[in-house]
Amino acid sequence: MLEEMGKAAKRASYHLAVLSSAQKNQALALIADYLEQDSASILQANQMDVQQARENGLSEAMLDRLQLTQSRLEGIANDVRQVCNLTDPVGKVIDGSVLDSGLNLERRRVPLGVVGVIYEARPNVTVDTAALCLKTGNAVILRGGKETHRTNQATVKVIQRALEKAGLPADAVQAIESPDRALVTELLKLDRYVDMLIPRGGAGLHKLCREQSTIPVITGGIGVCHIYVDQGMDAEQALKIIVNAKTQRPSTCNTVETLLVNKQDAAQFLPQLSQRMHEVGVSLHACPHALPLLSQGPAPVTPVQEAELDDEWLSLDLNVVVVDGLDGAIEHIREHGTQHSDAILTRNMHHADRFVREVDSSAVYVNASTRFTDGGQFGLGAEVAVSTQKLHARGPMGLEALTTYKWIGYGDDLIRR
């Protein structure tokens, strides 16, 4: 089955690669319209997925990721329309020059070909990925988690109808409908047809893909994100940012999971932190130094376990660790971070510059929430993933991250001497 899907996707990719921007935008506009017109079928399928997931004991954080509403679906459709407004990178000349030999050489952006995406309980990924791939002339094979298979099937059928209406091959967007995990392993070996693989899920999925895939893999999306409160930082301003980074949408990968506090200010700052976290319903998990200070406040607090420093909460829980200044914060992030998003809250610009230089994450912030690590917030449109590796994309992956380039040489009956 996957062999045939791969062949069909590769054929579709040849068609997509030569489309004009206008043709691709027309197809995307139709997809957005069809998502709204056929919302009832998608929402009905999603309700069934949510009900089954709840019966299976899925966490509230994962249920939030899984659930679609009319307003969320409309937002997804509008995101597709925003992709229409983005500049098409395909065909763009990156650089070029005339060599001494007389060869006029340039590098031009081209589609990757076929992209495979494996993801879990995030039905918006289906549409986001399809839109970005189509805009960049790529075909895509999607494999969502078993929790979302009804939603994904319904959504892809709507997208395929829109593609056919636009005169494009429906096989440009395909979904593996069976929840059989053996098909994931089979997809990882489909290097004859799939040019790049993007896993979006937990650490186990990323490890599986890195170890077993014969296709180049872009890993990321695991967000053990940190905020360091530097000595002398205004408490009220710091708390405003911390509340946003923790509570705006706790189930996302750019949510702060560990707060690092300079030991010089800990005695004054931590009781205030406890009060504010109590007000917004956040439970605290404290290191031995922070525990007695936080116990003075009203927020629930327990000792932090070492394993909790290396994993995402994806909930209204926050680790609090007291560190020995900027050096201690950087050392902690290097040991426990996932190179996703980390921030410093400071009024010392020398410390800010050091933090930016020495923290090796895909996104580093000064006096700003980690929640900004997002394709839409970065002006990239919908993102296909957040890469925490260094090749070939890093951070939110927008359109350019779904292209590669080819060298093109123009000669005047030129031969090499």
Side-chain angles (χ1 to χ4, degrees):
M1 178 186 75
L2 286 192
E3 182 87 7
E4 292 305 313
M5 290 181 69
K7 289 179 180 178
K10 182 61 75 174
R11 286 194 299 268
S13 73
Y14 299 144
H15 188 128
L16 298 176
V18 297
L19 294 177
S20 67
S21 294
Q23 289 172 307
K24 290 184 283 190
N25 287 339
Q26 180 187 27
L28 290 170
L30 282 171
I31 289 172
D33 291 344
Y34 274 46
L35 287 171
E36 291 178 339
Q37 293 171 16
D38 295 351
S39 62
S41 63
I42 297 173
L43 293 176
Q44 182 179 15
N46 183 253
Q47 288 174 3
M48 295 172 65
D49 281 337
V50 170
Q51 180 61 34
Q52 183 170 340
R54 182 171 283 114
E55 292 172 358
N56 292 340
L58 202 68
S59 70
E60 286 301 317
M62 294 302 290
L63 286 171
D64 178 61
R65 288 187 173 197
L66 167 59
Q67 188 164 29
L68 283 178
T69 62
Q70 185 68 41
S71 61
R72 283 188 181 183
L73 191 54
E74 289 173 359
I76 291 169
N78 285 329
D79 286 342
V80 176
R81 295 187 179 100
Q82 289 300 316
V83 174
C84 294
N85 297 328
L86 298 174
T87 301
D88 185 353
V90 176
K92 177 183 177 182
V93 176
I94 301 170
D95 52 34
S97 63
V98 179
L99 307 182
D100 291 342
S101 63
L103 185 67
N104 189 338
L105 190 65
E106 66 181 34
R107 286 192 302 153
R108 187 182 301 173
R109 289 202 178 276
V110 296
L112 288 166
V114 179
V115 177
V117 183
I118 305 172
Y119 53 106
E120 295 177 348
R122 295 290 294 271
N124 64 297
V125 175
T126 303
V127 181
D128 290 348
T129 302
L132 288 173
C133 286
L134 291 170
K135 179 77 175 191
T136 48
N138 294 295
V140 62
I141 297 176
L142 302 161
R143 201 286 185 180
K146 64 181 181 180
E147 299 87 0
T148 58
H149 74 276
R150 297 182 186 88
T151 308
N152 294 336
Q153 287 176 29
T155 303
V156 169
K157 286 177 182 176
V158 170
I159 292 172
Q160 289 178 334
R161 287 200 296 271
L163 288 172
E164 290 175 338
K165 179 68 174 178
L168 302 184
D171 291 332
V173 178
Q174 299 179 76
I176 299 172
E177 296 185 353
S178 171
D180 186 352
R181 285 185 174 272
L183 294 175
V184 172
T185 304
E186 189 176 341
L187 176 60
L188 299 181
K189 308 297 183 184
L190 212 62
D191 56 280
R192 184 175 177 183
Y193 306 108
V194 179
D195 298 284
M196 187 173 77
L197 188 68
I198 304 172
R200 293 188 58 164
L205 173 61
H206 287 261
K207 184 174 185 290
L208 174 71
C209 292
R210 285 195 302 269
E211 292 179 350
Q212 298 194 20
S213 177
T214 58
I215 304 165
V217 177
I218 296 287
T219 58
I222 308 300
V224 181
C225 303
H226 299 78
I227 290 179
Y228 167 57
V229 183
D230 196 21
Q231 183 178 2
M233 178 64 189
D234 176 79
E236 189 59 35
Q237 294 303 314
L239 290 169
K240 179 180 70 173
I241 294 171
I242 294 163
V243 168
N244 176 266
K246 182 72 259 184
T247 68
Q248 192 199 39
R249 195 170 179 190
S251 63
T252 59
C253 61
N254 55 19
T255 293
V256 65
E257 302 290 16
T258 298
L259 183 68
L260 306 174
V261 179
N262 187 291
K263 69 177 183 180
Q264 301 298 328
D265 292 344
Q268 179 181 0
F269 180 76
L270 292 182
Q272 296 178 69
L273 173 72
S274 178
Q275 178 63 42
R276 188 63 61 87
M277 294 299 101
H278 170 69
E279 293 169 1
V280 295
V282 173
S283 297
L284 302 175
H285 306 264
C287 74
H289 192 152
L291 186 61
L293 295 169
L294 289 169
S295 298
Q296 300 173 22
V301 58
T302 57
V304 68
Q305 305 301 312
E306 187 70 16
E308 293 170 345
L309 297 174
D310 297 316
D311 202 0
E312 297 172 298
W313 283 109
L314 302 176
S315 60
L316 290 174
D317 291 85
L318 179 66
N319 302 323
V320 182
V321 177
V322 175
V323 294
D324 188 9
L326 180 60
D327 289 336
I330 293 171
E331 182 180 351
H332 182 99
I333 292 170
R334 287 174 177 172
E335 182 176 354
H336 299 285
T338 54
Q339 297 185 306
H340 193 294
S341 303
D342 298 291
I344 181 173
L345 309 184
T346 185
R347 294 296 181 254
N348 185 321
M349 286 301 101
H350 174 67
H351 285 186
D353 290 342
R354 270 199 62 201
F355 190 89
V356 168
R357 290 195 310 269
E358 298 181 29
V359 172
D360 186 21
S361 298
S362 63
V364 182
Y365 298 96
V366 177
N367 298 329
S369 170
T370 56
R371 285 282 290 124
F372 283 101
T373 308
D374 173 85
Q377 293 294 317
F378 279 17
L380 304 176
E383 69 189 32
V384 67
V386 176
S387 169
T388 55
Q389 63 184 48
K390 300 180 181 180
L391 297 175
H392 74 286
R394 201 174 197 204
M397 294 177 61
L399 296 177
E400 285 194 359
L402 291 172
T403 66
T404 182
Y405 59 83
K406 65 171 63 172
W407 293 96
I408 301 171
Y410 293 95
D412 186 9
D413 301 327
L414 193 65
I415 60 172
R416 178 174 172 175
R417 299 187 183 279

